Amino acid sequence: VVSDPTISSYTKNTNLGAAETLNTASLDLIVDQGKSFHFQEDQVDQIQSNANVLAEAARRSAYGFAKAIDSYIAGLYTDVSTTNTLGTDASPITITSSNAYEYLIRMKTLLDKQDTPRDSRFCVVSPDYEAQLLQDDRFVKSGTNMSDGRLINGNAGNAAGFNIFVSNNLANVSSDKYKILAGHPSAWASVQQYVGSTMYVPELRHASAMKGLCIYGAKVLRPDNL
């Protein structure tokens, strides 16, 4: 993590001071998460089927990998600064059509107070949260291309300075108490160290088999920006 450079006053026709040495802090991102798949299809089934089962299974496995990674990253909400938190596990905020947009503004304000960069901000909401947003006239009232698009196809798009994403992978305490996340991409880092798959023929089977592995990790770097 790189420290913020010092911003100094400038006087024309004068020399600059000595170049500042940037302070850097080393953070270890431990890549210790792993997911795998392993399946096979008998050759008889391959011959008699008119569908490419292995290809579809491989595609669904890739989706499963992505879902596992998203869920892991969403679980890092525990590292968010306590000053940037709205609601608690014991007293969660009930989102309605009348306050869903309001809480986007509140999240935006908390990030503004932490000098969070405004470009590329994101907010990940649950399907239920999006459903309430799409019933708020401030969000979907017709008259602009963006609002008309929401009315036509239900796409959340952008609001309150956020790129809004909808996910089923947010952490859920219980009974639909989802952890809604907002912030800036620079607040965390993630890495997929290895993603690969192998096709092979099992030694004692008339079958085709596939196995795959995904190794990944993630870490919150700037808790104040989430």
Side-chain angles (χ1 to χ4, degrees):
V1 179
V2 180
S3 63
D4 291 334
T6 301
I7 305 301
S8 305
S9 298
Y10 173 72
T11 304
K12 66 179 182 179
N13 298 321
T14 61
N15 295 329
L16 298 175
E20 177 183 12
T21 299
L22 294 174
N23 294 319
T24 59
S26 176
L27 291 176
D28 293 329
L29 198 168
I30 301 174
V31 184
D32 59 353
Q33 302 297 307
K35 299 294 182 183
S36 67
F37 64 81
H38 190 198
F39 53 79
Q40 67 176 10
E41 184 183 24
D42 193 278
Q43 285 185 358
V44 175
D45 292 330
Q46 288 180 293
I47 293 169
Q48 295 180 345
S49 174
N50 61 1
N52 192 334
V53 174
L54 289 175
E56 175 62 13
R59 187 182 70 83
R60 296 299 301 174
S61 296
Y63 176 78
F65 278 166
K67 184 174 181 178
I69 294 171
D70 282 352
S71 297
Y72 177 72
I73 293 176
L76 298 179
Y77 74 87
T78 54
D79 292 335
V80 174
S81 172
T82 55
T83 58
N84 282 15
T85 301
L86 297 170
T88 65
D89 290 353
S91 300
I93 297 165
T94 300
I95 297 299
T96 67
S97 59
S98 61
N99 70 11
Y101 188 77
E102 172 191 343
Y103 275 100
L104 288 182
I105 300 297
R106 291 194 182 191
M107 288 186 279
K108 172 188 179 300
T109 302
L110 286 176
L111 292 172
D112 287 344
K113 289 181 177 180
Q114 297 290 355
D115 288 329
T116 303
R118 294 197 173 198
D119 65 295
S120 304
R121 284 186 184 179
F122 65 85
C123 184
V124 187
V125 302
S126 66
D128 289 335
Y129 195 120
E130 183 196 27
Q132 299 304 323
L133 274 177
L134 293 175
Q135 298 177 68
D136 189 334
D137 284 344
R138 293 169 295 181
F139 189 68
V140 297
K141 190 173 182 179
S142 62
T144 66
N145 290 335
M146 185 176 294
S147 60
D148 288 347
R150 292 173 183 140
L151 288 169
I152 294 170
N153 57 37
N155 182 21
N158 310 92
F162 294 116
N163 296 316
I164 298 177
F165 301 95
V166 182
S167 175
N168 286 317
N169 301 324
L170 290 166
N172 183 6
V173 177
S174 65
S175 302
D176 294 330
K177 297 179 184 178
Y178 287 99
K179 300 290 185 177
I180 305 303
L181 284 172
H184 189 268
S186 64
W188 52 28
S190 63
V191 60
Q192 295 180 39
Q193 189 175 44
Y194 176 79
V195 180
S197 61
T198 303
M199 287 282 297
Y200 72 99
V201 177
E203 181 180 0
L204 301 178
R205 295 288 183 95
H206 291 292
S208 296
M210 176 179 283
K211 57 184 177 180
L213 175 64
C214 179
I215 304 296
Y216 58 95
K219 186 180 184 68
V220 172
L221 304 178
R222 300 179 186 276
D224 290 340
N225 293 158
L226 289 173

